[in-house]
Amino acid sequence: MRRSRSRPNRNRLFPLLLAATTVPVAATLAPAATAQEPVEQISNGDFAGGLQPWWHTENAPASVSDGRLCAEVTGGTVNPWDAIVGQNDITLLDGESYQLSFTASASVPVTISTNVQLAAEPYTAVLSERVALGTEATEFSYNFTSDLATDGGQVAFQVGGGEQPWTFCLDEVSLRGGEAPDPHEPDTGPRVRVNQVGYLPSGPKHANLVTDAAQPVAWRLADAGGTVVAEGTSSPQGLDPTSGQSTHHIDFTAFTGEGNGFTLTADGETSYPFDIREGIYTDLRTDALAFFYHQRSGIEIEAEYVGAEYARPAGHLQVPPNQGDVEVPCQPGVCDYTLDVSGGWYDAGDHGKYVVNGGISAAQVLSVYERALHTDGGDPAKLGDGSLAVPERGNGVPDVLDEARWQVEFLLSMQVPAGEELAGMAHHKVHDANWTGLPLLPHEDPELRELHPASTAATLNLAAVGAQCARLFAEYDPAFAARCLEAAQTAWDAAKANPAIYADPEDGVGGGAYSDDDVTDEFYWAAAELFLTTGENRYWTEVSSSPHHGTEVFTDGGFGWGSVAALGMLNLATVPSELSTDQLAFVRDAVVRGAQRYAATADAEAYGLPYAPYEYQYVWGSNSQVLNNMVVLATAHDLTGRAEFAEAVLTGWDYLLGRNPLNQSYVTGYGEYDAHNQHHRFWANQSDPSLPNPPAGSLAGGPNTGLQDPVAAEQLAGCAPAMCYIDDIESWSTNEVTINWNAPLAWMASFAEDLAGTGPPPQPESSCTVSYRVGNEWPGGFVAEVEVTNTGEEPVQGWSLTWDYPGDQRVGNAWNARVSQSGSTVTARSESWNGTLAPGASVTFGLQGTFGSANPAPGEFALNGNTCA
Ligand code: 9MR
């Protein structure tokens, strides 16, 4: 069902002229550039972006240092092409002139071959030069005319054939000429956009139609046999600023039948097929969690658990060519000991292991289990021993805890040992001394691994996760739980003593920087976790006096590795503890208010996602921000049972699984048109067809307006925010996978699976009354006053009142409530200061509106999803 469309940026087809012989044009010194600047065909020719997209053969391991590429070429090869450094995907046009230039040197004088040629057989060359290199870096330049037309060209520096090993260094590579590539036109498929996986029978069912039509359009829902099972008309929504598309909203929630292979047709376009059934999220929960076993370092990944395609030897156990991670030294001058930091999860497509990001990921995986323990609809048995394909299955411990422990053990190992300066702090990260290229399997990574300086942020991550580990493992392994708690408390004390040691933002060679110079949120999170585990007052004092306790931690952009206060707040609101009733009400109210904000966003967004960052600046890994906002909504749903929160979670899923401007499912293996070329050194099928694509359940980072990689910068320039994504292995800033993105994916899949199992939330007895009064009316306009009374016995925290206008009324401005309207449905939400409605209490708000011919009052109101009397 998936991968039915070709990669969007490979759509241009060129006739291939297979010249029998090489036709290099005489190598001359290049003329000066003409008035029209020739187009650059090489990406990252100055290596400012690291090694990618350059590649090298195994016998010429290359890395970038001092701003140039150097390759250690082994001796004993026969032909020049036995060792190569190159770049693929070069476009060449027939009859066009080009200039290849570069700066190169060798550790000993040597002659190499420099070719511009086809990347695959018959390797026809349009330039083939023997180049004599000396030890001084020298600039070379060659002109040629191509008699090939291909987008599968290659620039290859053939450095083999020597008896002795030597070092080849390269910089400022440029191939100029030809035409600028066509602007990237994403193939967005049918204009009807649906959740390509499907919808829950009892859940909301929303879709979009992309059209400029000003009037509603008829739609039809058909089952797999083509029988129309529901129909209606769309609601025009106007121009969507996230995509530049004009869309209509299609709501087919009323259809609650079940089956596979439904399609939605409108305006002559038919959507991808989708299911309507329970169990949509069952496999996703397992697949999203399995991702972490795949990412394990220091252990063989066995076919028994992942299938032969994904099996691989253990990485980074110091078996050559690996140089780590059993006895890893610090960067020069940082420390004089070594640590065994083997194990843990690789962060992403790279082989780095970072405590900040590793910490939040471990915490969210632990929380998958902790939520199931403490939530009515949760079921820890579904996550129990035997639920995942991991080597620890059958050990009596829930598998999700086993998986998290693999990472927690690594985090603990990053702590500075007793007796050393900064004892108890955590090293910020361990990774390669230089960026490696891809593909590269973990056990083949030849780079030196180094410990980077300790940081306060990493130390507090360790403290938070250690505390959470202690309470979850107490039942299964008290000794391990005690070790976690001791490490956590030691880390806390060390962080208090060293509260402002920040990771260097420039420390980004060979691995990500993950720098953060505001750790007040890390202090908050760690104190919250330590309080929840120990009940100790000293931690509560830290929590309650933190600037994050009482200010808005659930911001529009959402939380992530650099802003973690939300993690503390969510657990304070849900994990049983010694909090007083008032304190508990305070944190729960904060969560509910956050969820209201995200529900309102989901309502207002054309594509229904609960994410609207400032000026729509979608960040690196925006999909995880969407998911983390969904986590807040889901937690609020767990706390209140309010249907509107579950609905916004589900429309968030719709966005991630295909109901979006690109018609793209961002989860591998899910949906008709899924992301499957994510940036990864092993799952690098796009670079090397003998390697696999990412396994099912791998989340792509998603749209990123920053465009921080060369492919995104070139192909997506000028993109509308939600269109800034490309399923290309070299677009690491829009299309990587990481543990901190898959962790909320797993959390949310687990929630959604539980939600599917419970069906729609029970509707309690009516516990509200509403008075709706038109105070003033004039031709075409009116003012209304609405009074809501809580007639139930429980306080309502964070209220939202909905109604449908029977006429064509449109609400303009409102006071004492935040009012929005979608079609005829109006939603009024409490302000921060009038959110609590005690039993018997009333609140009044007002609004001004317009209408066409008549202004009839609404007949029915619902308070937080429950119909009022
Ligand atoms: O997810 C990280 C993102 O928030 C940062 O803006 C970006 C640049 O520092 O780095 C991202 O993390 C990458 C990390 O640095 C290295 N491993 C892969 C991560 C995901 O792309």
Side-chain angles (χ1 to χ4, degrees):
M1 290 261 284
R2 57 182 236 244
R3 298 176 196 171
S4 48
R5 288 193 271 152
S6 59
R7 261 182 73 222
N9 68 336
R10 290 285 175 274
N11 281 350
R12 282 193 308 153
L13 289 180
F14 290 82
L16 204 63
L17 298 185
L18 299 182
T21 51
T22 303
V23 193
V25 168
T28 56
L29 217 58
T34 50
Q36 199 171 1
E37 274 295 295
V39 179
E40 181 58 74
Q41 304 291 343
I42 293 280
S43 293
N44 191 27
D46 61 359
F47 304 99
L51 203 55
Q52 291 134 15
W54 293 91
W55 56 269
H56 54 83
T57 49
E58 220 172 291
N59 55 3
S63 58
V64 174
S65 56
D66 299 332
R68 60 188 184 154
L69 174 149
C70 290
E72 299 303 328
V73 185
T74 52
T77 58
V78 179
N79 306 298
W81 55 85
D82 289 341
I84 305 175
V85 172
Q87 183 170 132
N88 288 356
D89 293 338
I90 303 290
T91 296
L92 297 169
L93 298 179
D94 188 15
E96 289 285 333
S97 351
Y98 293 86
Q99 180 189 90
L100 177 75
S101 61
F102 55 92
T103 301
S105 64
S107 54
V108 290
V110 69
T111 299
I112 65 164
S113 288
T114 301
N115 284 14
V116 179
Q117 59 178 35
L118 290 178
E121 282 189 275
Y123 300 111
T124 312
V126 288
L127 176 79
S128 185
E129 285 296 324
R130 298 286 290 164
V131 182
L133 302 183
T135 52
E136 287 289 305
T138 308
E139 199 185 328
F140 299 89
S141 182
Y142 304 94
N143 284 357
F144 66 95
T145 301
S146 171
D147 63 352
L148 285 179
T150 177
D151 61 357
Q154 176 184 82
V155 171
F157 296 94
Q158 300 183 340
V159 290
E163 270 177 24
Q164 302 302 319
W166 61 285
T167 307
F168 168 61
C169 290
L170 184 64
D171 201 359
E172 301 302 337
V173 190
S174 167
L175 175 65
R176 288 152 80 81
E179 286 174 6
D182 290 345
H184 171 65
E185 280 288 340
D187 174 1
T188 53
R191 286 185 289 110
V192 181
R193 306 286 157 73
V194 296
N195 179 330
Q196 295 167 17
V197 177
Y199 300 85
L200 298 178
S202 58
K205 296 173 199 75
H206 299 285
N208 288 64
L209 167 69
V210 178
T211 174
D212 289 331
Q215 298 305 317
V217 169
W219 57 261
R220 292 188 320 274
L221 176 69
D223 65 16
T227 305
V228 175
V229 292
E231 47 196 334
T233 50
S234 63
S235 313
Q237 304 188 111
L239 190 69
D240 164 31
T242 73
S243 60
Q245 299 166 348
S246 292
T247 72
H248 286 198
H249 175 210
I250 294 174
D251 184 350
F252 58 110
T253 304
F255 179 76
T256 54
E258 297 189 34
N260 300 329
F262 289 93
T263 52
L264 192 61
T265 301
D267 202 18
E269 295 266 317
T270 297
S271 72
Y272 289 131
F274 55 88
D275 298 346
I276 301 178
R277 59 179 171 84
E278 308 290 349
I280 296 266
Y281 297 98
T282 312
D283 290 346
L284 184 53
R285 157 149 71 187
T286 312
D287 286 343
L289 283 169
F291 176 89
F292 295 91
Y293 174 62
H294 282 280
Q295 287 290 102
R296 283 194 197 183
S297 177
I299 188 172
E300 181 188 351
I301 304 305
E302 295 180 63
E304 180 183 347
Y305 307 114
V306 294
E309 198 187 3
Y310 292 102
R312 61 167 172 82
H316 298 97
L317 282 182
Q318 227 139 301
V319 176
N322 282 170
Q323 297 194 52
D325 291 343
V326 180
E327 269 184 296
V328 179
C330 281
Q331 286 180 305
V334 171
C335 76
D336 54 11
Y337 51 82
T338 62
L339 289 181
D340 177 354
V341 293
S342 55
W345 300 319
Y346 295 118
D347 186 55
D350 63 325
H351 298 142
K353 300 191 293 194
Y354 312 90
V355 173
V356 277
N357 209 45
I360 139 164
S361 309
Q364 287 192 295
V365 172
L366 287 169
S367 288
V368 173
Y369 190 71
E370 194 156 37
R371 173 189 169 272
L373 279 182
H374 304 310
T375 304
D376 274 353
D379 183 357
K382 289 189 191 160
L383 297 156
D385 193 21
S387 61
L388 294 178
V390 291
E392 297 82 6
R393 64 192 298 167
N395 67 354
V397 179
D399 288 338
V400 61
L401 293 187
D402 286 324
E403 189 56 70
R405 180 174 180 161
W406 191 261
Q407 175 74 350
V408 174
E409 297 265 16
F410 157 72
L411 297 173
L412 300 185
S413 74
M414 291 289 280
Q415 200 158 23
V416 177
E420 302 290 348
E421 201 193 340
L422 297 178
M425 297 288 282
H427 287 278
H428 194 66
K429 52 182 187 165
V430 53
H431 61 69
D432 294 332
N434 292 293
W435 281 110
T436 57
L438 92 195
L440 179 70
L441 269 72
H443 69 285
E444 290 173 346
D445 174 9
E447 279 294 328
L448 174 68
R449 307 277 281 181
E450 289 173 322
L451 292 167
H452 292 241
S455 72
T456 309
T459 306
L460 290 165
N461 264 259
L462 193 157
V465 178
Q468 191 179 13
C469 158
R471 60 177 186 263
L472 288 168
F473 276 91
E475 180 185 342
Y476 299 104
D477 187 341
F480 178 57
R483 185 152 74 84
C484 280
L485 186 57
E486 199 192 327
Q489 289 184 312
T490 306
W492 172 266
D493 293 341
K496 288 293 282 182
N498 302 282
I501 301 187
Y502 305 129
D504 179 357
E506 300 301 319
D507 185 10
V509 174
Y514 283 119
S515 63
D516 182 2
D517 61 4
D518 178 355
V519 293
T520 55
D521 53 318
E522 278 82 4
F523 271 109
Y524 181 74
W525 175 36
E529 297 298 341
L530 281 158
F531 168 73
L532 288 170
T533 301
T534 65
E536 281 179 31
N537 208 37
R538 63 175 172 137
Y539 297 121
W540 177 250
T541 308
E542 296 279 348
V543 169
S544 56
S545 62
S546 162
H548 297 281
H549 200 66
T551 53
E552 194 53 81
V553 301
F554 302 108
T555 56
D556 288 335
F559 66 92
W561 63 264
S563 54
V564 293
L567 286 176
M569 188 74 94
L570 289 168
N571 279 353
L572 286 170
T574 52
V575 176
S577 73
E578 323 240 318
L579 280 184
S580 71
T581 314
D582 281 356
Q583 289 160 348
L584 192 59
F586 179 84
V587 287
R588 289 187 168 178
D589 185 54
V591 173
V592 169
R593 278 187 291 110
Q596 282 185 302
R597 168 194 283 244
Y598 299 140
T601 300
D603 241 23
E605 286 302 303
Y607 280 96
L609 72 165
Y611 175 64
Y614 179 66
E615 291 188 339
Y616 288 124
Q617 296 294 305
Y618 282 41
V619 297
W620 191 318
S622 67
N623 282 340
S624 78
Q625 307 302 118
V626 175
L627 278 161
N628 280 335
N629 289 355
M630 288 160 67
V631 167
V632 179
L633 284 158
T635 305
H637 181 264
D638 284 344
L639 292 172
T640 66
R642 276 165 57 178
E644 62 177 295
F645 296 149
E647 285 189 12
V649 165
L650 292 170
T651 57
W653 273 121
D654 295 343
Y655 168 83
L656 293 169
L657 296 174
R659 183 198 168 201
N660 56 49
L662 289 171
N663 209 352
Q664 166 85 56
S665 163
Y666 290 109
V667 182
T668 310
Y670 287 80
E672 191 75 5
Y673 186 52
D674 65 337
H676 56 271
N677 289 319
Q678 289 96 321
H679 182 77
H680 198 275
R681 280 167 175 68
F682 171 26
W683 308 327
N685 177 275
Q686 195 187 347
S687 302
D688 177 347
S690 70
L691 294 172
N693 290 99
S698 303
L699 178 77
N704 171 10
T705 44
L707 306 181
Q708 291 99 333
D709 63 78
V711 169
E714 180 190 307
Q715 307 253 356
L716 301 175
C719 51
M723 311 281 281
C724 297
Y725 168 80
I726 185 165
D727 187 19
D728 188 302
I729 194 163
E730 296 297 352
S731 181
W732 58 86
S733 76
T734 77
N735 198 32
E736 192 156 354
V737 292
T738 79
I739 52 175
N740 66 310
W741 303 341
N742 247 70
L745 183 77
W747 194 105
M748 274 317 313
S750 190
F751 170 88
E753 218 279 316
D754 290 344
L755 186 73
T758 57
Q763 297 294 308
E765 297 271 296
S766 157
S767 54
C768 47
T769 56
V770 173
S771 137
Y772 178 96
R773 234 170 30 82
V774 174
N776 196 3
E777 187 178 303
W778 58 94
F782 68 100
V783 170
E785 190 178 85
V786 187
E787 183 182 28
V788 197
T789 306
N790 176 8
T791 56
E793 285 166 11
E794 296 293 325
V796 175
Q797 255 144 15
W799 52 265
S800 115
L801 189 74
T802 49
W803 67 85
D804 280 338
Y805 271 125
D808 58 357
Q809 294 101 324
R810 302 294 308 174
V811 176
N813 61 322
W815 45 98
N816 296 348
R818 292 166 296 145
V819 180
S820 59
Q821 183 167 2
S822 168
S824 58
T825 306
V826 178
T827 305
R829 292 188 173 77
S830 52
E831 302 278 6
S832 55
W833 45 267
N834 66 3
T836 304
L837 256 183
S842 301
V843 65
T844 302
F845 62 91
L847 57 90
Q848 184 171 346
T850 57
F851 63 94
S853 48
N855 183 19
E860 197 174 273
F861 295 85
L863 179 63
N864 293 356
N866 303 320
T867 306
C868 297

